[in-house]
Amino acid sequence: MRTRPPDSLREIQFQLGIAPHAAGSVLVSFGNTQVICAATIEEGVPRWMKEQGVSGGWITAEYSMLPYSTHSRKPRESSRGKPDGRGVEIQRLIGRALRAAVNLEALGSRTLWMDCDVLQADGGTRTAAITGACVAASLAAQKLLREGKLSASPMVHKVAAVSLGIVEGRILLDLNYEEDKDAAVDLNLVMTESLDLVELQVSGEEAVFSRQQLDALLDIGGRGIQQILEFQAAALRTAQK
Ligand code: UDP
């Protein structure tokens, strides 16, 4: 049972530096959903970029759910022997979101690997992953600046994401698993600090929705993202001290 108002977020926390060997890392929590996001910098770019003469850098993301992140154990992909379609879709989404946040030209000839591993899944793991990946990428960019490898930050936007749904006719912001499984409409929203859209995934699950409902979802989602961006900025300020 949801005890907080329909348009309010779960408690959001960022624990920076969770993976010390990464160039930037964070454990992000949206309520009980917890995702470890880590950025690793690799000098050089994928071969296709060199072959096609594409200048600048690249960002690629990987997403996985740790076996014990779900109620019943989820076998690792390495033991299943085949890629998980949902995971592939989510990691592409994370990659696109981060490429909107970073000026690839300014990144120079390097690859930023974004690894997002779900520690505990309770709905909204992809949106938490995007929000955390932006923090990890910002920390990695600060490291490149500190080391004198870059003279200006390649981060052009901050991005954050949140999920929404319509459950029993009510719009709910930031759904947990119990709410998500009953949702007639599912929406994942990725936006920048100017509240420009980076990605909008919305689908009716055996249901339809009106333009008015879509507008209301976007309004509530936009306000949620604004708050998430404030928490994100506050977390990053602590890293600069
Ligand atoms: N889930 C799960 N096992 C899976 C996939 C999903 O337990 O293999 C749960 C998990 O709590 C997840 C939720 O279902 O957060 C909703 O999954 P969805 O595919 O909608 O992605 P998410 O909301 O996590 O981005």
Side-chain angles (χ1 to χ4, degrees):
M1 257 292 284
R2 189 174 178 115
T3 49
R4 61 182 209 282
D7 60 350
S8 73
L9 297 165
R10 291 180 283 182
E11 188 183 346
I12 294 183
Q13 285 180 351
F14 297 94
Q15 193 180 331
L16 306 189
I18 190 86
H21 288 307
S25 66
V26 66
L27 172 66
V28 58
S29 317
F30 279 48
N32 289 329
T33 284
Q34 292 190 301
V35 186
I36 302 165
C37 302
T40 308
I41 301 159
E42 205 174 74
E43 295 298 322
V45 291
R47 204 166 69 181
W48 66 263
M49 284 184 73
K50 289 183 225 155
E51 283 171 0
Q52 294 178 26
V54 179
S55 61
W58 188 242
I59 299 178
T60 192
E62 292 197 355
Y63 165 98
S64 78
M65 295 178 108
L66 289 164
Y68 44 82
S69 66
T70 49
H71 287 287
S72 52
R73 187 177 186 274
K74 192 177 164 82
R76 291 180 198 271
E77 262 184 45
S78 53
S79 51
R80 278 174 12 118
K82 61 173 182 204
D84 158 21
R86 172 181 172 275
V88 171
E89 177 201 321
I90 294 178
Q91 64 194 30
R92 290 204 177 125
L93 168 69
I94 300 168
R96 287 194 298 275
L98 267 286
R99 289 195 289 275
V102 175
N103 176 344
L104 294 176
E105 201 62 52
L107 185 61
S109 182
R110 26 180 92 81
T111 301
L112 203 53
W113 285 90
M114 301 304 317
D115 286 295
C116 300
D117 290 283
V118 179
L119 188 61
Q120 188 172 324
D122 187 24
T125 61
R126 74 193 70 197
T127 46
I130 291 167
T131 304
C134 180
V135 171
S138 302
L139 294 172
Q142 285 173 16
K143 184 167 191 279
L144 286 170
L145 287 169
R146 267 199 317 276
E147 291 173 349
K149 291 183 178 160
L150 288 180
S151 51
S153 175
M155 298 295 297
V156 284
H157 291 295
K158 290 288 190 293
V159 293
V162 76
S163 77
L164 296 106
I166 302 184
V167 182
E168 291 167 2
R170 278 199 320 168
I171 294 181
L172 299 185
L173 178 69
D174 192 16
L175 288 79
N176 65 17
Y177 173 71
E178 281 302 314
E179 294 164 338
D180 185 83
K181 76 176 173 35
D182 294 334
V185 177
D186 243 337
L187 185 144
N188 290 300
L189 183 61
V190 188
M191 283 178 153
T192 66
E193 71 287 344
S194 350
L195 297 189
D196 283 326
L197 287 159
V198 179
E199 187 134 344
L200 174 59
Q201 297 183 328
V202 53
S203 45
E205 306 271 353
E206 297 172 34
V208 294
F209 53 100
S210 66
R211 273 294 297 272
Q212 282 90 337
Q213 283 175 311
L214 178 60
D215 288 343
L217 283 159
L218 291 175
D219 286 344
I220 295 169
R223 286 197 288 275
I225 290 207
Q226 251 168 341
Q227 291 173 44
I228 299 169
L229 286 160
E230 282 166 22
F231 295 133
Q232 217 187 33
L236 283 168
R237 274 196 298 275
T238 64
Q240 278 163 346
K241 280 183 188 154

